[in-house]
Amino acid sequence: MGVKRWLEAWPVYRQLTGTDPLGRGKAAQSARSAGLAPRTEGADRVADSVCPYCAVGCAQRVYVKDERVVQIEGNPDSPISRGRLCPKGSASKQLVTGPHRERKVRYRPPYGTEWQDLDLDTAMDMVADRVLAARRKGWQDTDEAGRKLRRTMGIASLGGATLDNEENYLIKKLFTALGALQVENQARI
Ligand code: SF4
């Protein structure tokens, strides 16, 4: 390698002599990084979404290739987040694709020491049976003076920050229809 080429391979030299005096662009680029392309470039399509982690609701762009999520980035079209994501939102691709994501229903019965795998239909039936039983058990038709209450104190809903407006709307409708009074949500933003 000649001296000139050797010098040009040196980032400080390029920074001092080139058009990138702050060393944040071409001056800092290696041959390897110059050959890299962003994951977003080869995506088949991009879906608009919302970060599932908290109530700020930052907008996301979800890049998909071969029906698999390859990257998730902030959506600059959002008037709320304007393309930004916090570290949690930036890492949300792992929520979808991470190897630790649980993909089966796991059930540990009362006093059980081992987890069991259930199919989703069985698990949903079990949840429905328990909701109905708790509702019935906690049902209050009237108070001591005979005034109508027609409510249950046997079930409650505590929502998390990842629920969006539409989900909260449906949860409120469902629990109110079941006669529950205690409908709360953790989100306070
Ligand atoms: S977790 Fe972060 S990126 Fe996601 S909505 Fe909240 S602030 Fe936005």
Side-chain angles (χ1 to χ4, degrees), residues 9-178:
W10 195 32
V12 175
Y13 174 83
R14 296 202 304 260
Q15 187 177 344
L16 293 174
T17 59
T19 56
D20 180 22
L22 297 177
R24 296 193 301 183
K26 285 232 171 290
Q29 204 168 42
S30 67
R32 185 175 177 278
S33 61
L36 296 175
R39 269 176 293 196
T40 54
E41 216 168 74
D44 301 326
R45 61 192 168 89
V46 183
D48 286 342
S49 188
V50 178
C51 174
Y53 274 126
C54 92
V56 175
C58 298
Q60 295 183 319
R61 283 184 177 162
V62 181
Y63 293 82
V64 179
K65 184 172 176 55
D66 299 329
E67 294 309 304
R68 288 191 61 82
V69 173
V70 289
Q71 178 67 342
I72 297 179
E73 297 199 340
N75 186 345
D77 293 340
S78 164
I80 301 164
S81 50
R82 290 177 286 165
R84 299 174 182 91
L85 295 174
C86 80
K88 273 201 310 183
S90 300
S92 55
K93 174 175 170 271
Q94 293 167 17
L95 188 68
V96 190
T97 60
H100 299 300
R101 185 186 171 115
E102 204 55 77
R103 290 162 201 279
K104 289 184 230 153
V105 179
R106 314 291 329 264
Y107 174 64
R108 198 175 67 170
Y111 308 108
T113 56
E114 302 294 331
W115 291 98
Q116 301 171 5
D117 288 344
L118 294 181
D119 65 87
L120 186 57
D121 285 346
T122 305
M124 294 297 276
D125 284 346
M126 287 166 69
V127 171
D129 289 346
R130 283 160 171 72
V131 167
L132 293 177
R135 176 181 184 267
R136 202 171 298 125
K137 195 169 167 203
W139 186 259
Q140 298 174 334
D141 216 35
T142 55
D143 65 10
E144 309 77 41
R147 289 175 293 226
K148 270 189 188 161
L149 294 174
R150 308 190 70 186
R151 68 188 187 189
T152 182
M153 302 301 278
I155 52 174
S157 169
L158 177 61
T162 59
L163 295 168
D164 59 30
N165 270 355
E166 291 75 16
E167 287 163 336
N168 279 317
Y169 172 84
L170 291 172
I171 287 169
K172 172 74 173 123
K173 283 270 182 199
L174 172 67
F175 276 80
T176 303
L178 286 167

